[in-house]
Amino acid sequence: MAANRENMRLLDGGRFMMGSDRHYPEEAPARPMRVDRFWIDETPVTNADFARFVSETGYVTLAENAPDPRDYPGMDPAMARPGSPVFRRTSGPVDLNDPGQWWEFCFGANWRRPLGPESSIVGLEDHPVIHVAYADAEAYAAWAGKSLPTEAEWEYAARGGLDGADYAWGDELAPGGAMLANYWQGLFPFANQLLDGYERTSPVRSFPPNAYGLWDMIGNVWEWTADQYAQPSPAAGTKARCCAPARQPRGARRRVSHHPAVSQDRIVQKVLKGGSHLCAANYCQRYRPAARHPQSIDSATSHIGFRCVARDL
């Protein structure tokens, strides 16, 4: 069906400098890029949006399905149950090279029950939907008559015309102490000062939009893009893997492509953009338009969501 333009913005496209030479190596080099005109959702897809999709289609997400052990050689049979990784704050400092310290694979966690089987999305209808794998995001986009953005489209939109700026609003993270996005203030993963008012996700439109009228392009949840992840040099990927778990603890998926600097598993990985509420100054400073992160397509977590684009102009 044709995309509904409600709550979307039309961007004229154009030339911009994509990437950054000042931050993580996988963002370099900064290079000229051009995108065509496209529409983009003003916000990430919300729980209410996703609920409408599921109600009309009966769609069941990856996290709601038990994995097939035949797809994951060496998988512990006890893991063949539906679930998804959920962030758990630690009681004190931990090794920041070990995401397993703050991620728990939670049986029963999914988009309807974001913190586990006893939780719900009641009262969170205007929060971004989470625990969506890449195929889940694609299915929603197809139902809506839309697509997932390319990495270049997403970054162009996030910059809001501020070519070369570090953040979606300029070069200072918190100008005058203002909290302009939902990210972690304090020492990750144990001390969150909550200066932005949120421990986990926040309602969309809780912070100011960028100059293109787009909300939550930075922080709140990571967002899927359509591009397969690749690193520009062997040096990239030597830093800690950000706040995301390496993968769901199942085994080696039989896939045809992978990135050896990130994982020995043969997994197709897509680019995530925007950072999340777990990005912090002391770890994963990826709350920037240029920032990027790999994520295996068969993984869903409590800090990954998405938004859509439409190109049928």
Side-chain angles (χ1 to χ4, degrees), residues 6-291:
E6 185 179 1
N7 297 320
M8 298 188 80
R9 293 280 176 152
L10 177 61
L11 304 187
D12 285 335
R15 186 178 181 276
F16 73 107
M17 290 301 293
M18 183 172 178
S20 172
D21 296 320
R22 300 190 297 275
H23 299 95
Y24 293 106
E26 69 268 19
E27 301 167 21
R31 66 269 185 205
M33 185 66 62
R34 176 175 291 278
V35 296
D36 295 330
R37 296 177 78 200
F38 64 100
W39 293 83
I40 186 167
D41 290 343
E42 291 179 344
T43 73
V45 172
T46 65
N47 285 315
D49 297 329
F50 203 78
R52 283 192 292 273
F53 158 61
V54 170
S55 176
E56 290 191 19
T57 64
Y59 185 83
V60 179
T61 62
L62 180 144
E64 296 172 278
N65 283 296
D68 186 343
R70 292 174 297 182
D71 287 338
Y72 298 89
M75 170 183 169
D76 181 351
M79 297 302 298
R81 297 164 54 191
S84 186
V86 174
F87 171 78
R88 306 294 189 195
R89 190 200 289 221
T90 64
S91 59
V94 295
D95 180 359
L96 293 181
N97 291 309
D98 180 13
Q101 295 283 335
W102 53 85
W103 285 105
E104 172 196 354
F105 188 85
C106 182
F107 296 120
N110 56 57
W111 76 273
R112 302 175 191 269
R113 306 194 178 281
L115 301 183
E118 303 303 317
S119 65
S120 80
I121 57 170
V122 173
L124 304 178
E125 290 84 359
D126 57 351
H127 286 233
V129 66
I130 54 177
H131 296 296
V132 283
Y134 184 78
D136 304 330
E138 272 199 319
Y140 175 95
W143 167 79
K146 303 179 185 180
S147 304
L148 295 180
T150 66
E151 181 178 3
E153 287 171 335
W154 194 100
E155 185 168 331
Y156 177 83
R159 290 188 176 280
L162 296 180
D163 208 14
D166 282 350
Y167 305 103
W169 48 81
D171 288 319
E172 188 177 351
L173 177 58
M179 296 291 103
L180 301 181
N182 179 359
Y183 58 92
W184 186 288
Q185 298 92 46
L187 296 177
F188 182 86
F190 65 96
N192 191 343
Q193 296 173 302
L194 302 178
L195 300 180
D196 58 11
Y198 298 99
E199 174 77 14
R200 293 184 181 269
T201 59
S202 51
V204 299
R205 296 186 172 90
S206 292
F207 298 90
N210 72 1
Y212 287 162
L214 305 174
W215 281 266
D216 290 324
M217 296 301 293
I218 299 301
N220 211 356
V221 293
W222 283 101
E223 298 183 17
W224 288 108
T225 72
D227 286 13
Q228 190 158 310
Y229 184 86
Q231 294 174 342
S233 72
T238 56
K239 292 180 179 289
R241 276 185 45 86
C242 189
C243 43
R247 57 177 284 100
Q248 298 191 38
R250 291 172 174 169
R253 178 77 173 188
R254 290 190 178 98
R255 292 288 186 182
V256 297
S257 66
H258 72 296
H259 205 288
V262 176
S263 171
Q264 297 305 309
D265 299 332
R266 301 186 70 80
I267 311 276
V268 171
Q269 294 184 313
K270 295 288 188 175
V271 176
L272 297 180
K273 295 288 282 185
S276 80
H277 58 278
L278 299 183
C279 288
N282 73 311
Y283 186 65
C284 186
Q285 297 174 17
R286 290 181 171 89
Y287 31 49
R288 295 172 291 101

